[in-house]
Amino acid sequence: MMIREQIEAMERENLSPYACLSVNSRGRDREEPQCDIRPVFQRDRDRILHSKSFRRLKNKTQVFLTPMGDHYRTRMSHTLEVSQNARTIAKALRLNEDLVEAIALGHDLGHTPFGHAGELVLDRIYPGGFRHNEQSVRIVEKLEKNGEGLNLTWEVRDGILNHQTKTVPATLEGKIVRLSDKIAYVNSDIDDAIRAQIMREEDIPIELRKTLGYDTRTRLNHLIHDIVIHSMEKDDIIMSDETAEALKELRLFMFEHVYKNPVAKGEEVKAKVMLEQMYYFYMDHVELLPGKLLAMLDEGEEKGRIVCDYISGMTDQYAITKFKENFIPEAWSVDGF
């Protein structure tokens, strides 16, 4: 028996009856030989981890644009925190850790430079609309590996697509990531906001602190325990009503005091103008796009779509560099007369 088959047998024996087993995957869009060591979801996780779009996350904004400090979250550190929270919950509930990790690592691949500010700009100016969860799926299906995509399983792509609050994943593992994403960004954003001195722990309403905890560590501990306790032996991933309502109120508090704070968002106006100008520039000069995107244009892809592909794939610094290259005259000098 191959190692993969032994692992699949252990999944059948040890995981919850509600878990999504590797052998029960709906499969990939393109059939391919199985790995002799790794089940399908572990293989998907590895493909995402080794992708170029994953590496770019380390230089994409989470909340604070170009912060003066090394300890603020980036899109990559956020992704790793989501993955760790999700794996903790999955292990406790005996669900498929490999599937959870693959979804978590891939859920934000489609984020633009400069965080949600970039997403809002592209969604406003591109007629087809732009949403980072859909772009994440587009990356793994089409844009990675020069148009081949990563050929991930259906379950991983479903979890990536449906990780936002308003959608519902098909698997419990996807539902874990959906909640873990919310838990991670609220708590890490509080930590970063305190570091930036735009809020204090004591600013959080006392009722929410009594319910969820008085610091980041105890809040995370409470939220994860609450999910595990209330989801145990259930075909769903849920929180208690009290905790769910407190988390909702904490998110609303963060929107008012951090996400709209001029200190945290003071540079966003510049970032939005920059990305908007670049969108129209590349619409007029599409020949300057990379060859692999031009090939997609020749295959019938819409011009605005591939311009969004190019801009959304940029890191913060690369976007600034391309803006300077396209809009700022280079310094020049003449030796003598």
Side-chain angles (χ1 to χ4, degrees):
M1 182 182 290
M2 290 188 293
I3 294 173
R4 170 181 53 79
E5 293 172 335
Q6 294 173 355
I7 296 172
E8 290 169 346
M10 286 190 290
E11 284 185 0
R12 285 192 293 267
E13 182 178 348
N14 297 319
L15 293 187
S16 163
Y18 302 115
C20 182
L21 302 182
S22 300
V23 294
N24 292 336
S25 171
R26 296 193 193 184
R28 311 179 187 279
D29 283 348
R30 300 188 304 277
E31 290 189 18
E32 56 184 71
Q34 288 266 35
C35 177
D36 60 339
I37 295 177
R38 298 166 298 166
V40 290
F41 300 139
Q42 184 181 350
R43 203 174 183 190
D44 283 359
R45 179 205 61 191
D46 294 349
R47 290 180 181 186
I48 293 168
L49 188 65
H50 291 289
S51 69
K52 290 187 292 185
S53 51
F54 182 80
R55 293 196 293 275
R56 290 196 298 268
L57 294 177
K58 70 177 184 286
N59 290 317
K60 290 193 175 190
T61 290
Q62 175 64 14
V63 172
F64 291 85
L65 273 66
T66 58
M68 296 298 290
D70 295 330
H71 298 131
Y72 291 90
R73 268 75 171 185
T74 64
R75 191 61 61 180
M76 178 174 283
S77 55
H78 162 73
T79 293
L80 295 176
E81 289 175 358
V82 173
S83 176
Q84 189 57 53
N85 292 341
R87 287 181 59 201
T88 298
I89 296 168
K91 181 173 284 188
L93 295 175
R94 294 188 298 119
L95 297 175
N96 196 316
E97 252 187 281
D98 289 336
L99 175 54
V100 156
E101 189 172 17
I103 296 170
L105 293 180
H107 83 282
D108 270 356
L109 293 178
H111 253 299
T112 61
F114 310 115
H116 286 284
E119 181 176 15
L120 291 171
V121 167
L122 293 184
D123 188 47
R124 174 172 57 82
I125 62 179
Y126 170 54
F130 183 93
R131 285 160 288 278
H132 79 271
N133 57 318
E134 295 175 0
Q135 186 68 16
S136 296
V137 174
R138 181 170 169 83
I139 285 171
V140 300
E141 289 185 342
K142 191 170 183 98
L143 298 180
E144 272 288 338
K145 297 183 69 174
N146 294 320
E148 293 182 14
L150 301 180
N151 198 28
L152 304 182
T153 55
W154 181 90
E155 291 78 10
V156 172
R157 288 177 287 141
D158 170 80
I160 291 172
L161 179 65
N162 295 301
H163 76 268
Q164 294 186 295
T165 302
K166 59 187 177 184
T167 56
V168 181
T171 64
L172 296 192
E173 289 80 1
K175 291 181 178 181
I176 287 175
V177 174
R178 181 170 168 261
L179 271 181
S180 297
D181 181 36
K182 189 184 303 182
I183 290 170
Y185 74 69
V186 168
N187 282 285
S188 62
D189 294 348
I190 290 172
D191 188 45
D192 282 352
I194 292 172
R195 180 172 293 108
Q197 299 183 348
I198 65 174
M199 67 170 283
R200 301 171 304 156
E201 179 71 42
E202 294 76 19
D203 294 332
I204 300 172
I206 188 63
E207 297 82 8
L208 301 182
R209 299 171 71 209
K210 284 179 179 178
T211 301
L212 298 176
Y214 290 89
D215 56 42
T216 298
R217 183 185 64 82
T218 53
R219 272 191 298 273
L220 282 171
N221 189 59
H222 173 88
L223 289 162
I224 290 172
H225 274 78
D226 190 88
I227 293 171
V228 170
I229 291 168
H230 290 89
S231 303
M232 193 75 71
E233 306 303 331
K234 291 187 175 70
D235 189 15
D236 203 0
I237 304 299
I238 57 175
M239 293 180 175
S240 65
D241 291 342
E242 181 184 25
T243 295
E245 182 61 28
L247 181 59
K248 178 182 176 182
E249 291 298 320
L250 182 57
R251 288 180 70 232
L252 292 174
F253 171 84
M254 291 297 289
F255 272 99
E256 290 301 320
H257 293 82
V258 176
Y259 303 140
K260 296 180 182 179
N261 188 290
V263 175
K265 296 301 182 181
E267 297 293 286
E268 274 197 0
V269 173
K270 300 175 187 177
K272 288 178 178 179
V273 170
M274 184 168 65
L275 293 186
E276 181 171 356
Q277 292 301 311
M278 283 208 293
Y279 174 85
Y280 290 119
F281 174 82
Y282 285 114
M283 287 293 286
D284 290 337
H285 300 281
V286 69
E287 72 279 359
L288 297 178
L289 294 178
K292 63 181 181 180
L293 293 179
L294 292 178
M296 291 169 57
L297 185 64
D298 292 338
E299 293 166 3
E301 284 279 355
E302 184 185 0
K303 183 167 66 171
R305 177 73 267 171
I306 65 169
V307 170
C308 284
D309 289 337
Y310 185 48
I311 293 175
S312 65
M314 295 178 177
T315 62
D316 292 12
Q317 188 54 55
Y318 187 71
I320 293 170
T321 298
K322 296 306 289 185
F323 182 82
K324 289 179 178 177
E325 180 183 305
N326 293 321
F327 290 96
I328 307 300
E330 292 186 15
W332 58 277
S333 64
V334 177
D335 291 330
F337 294 92

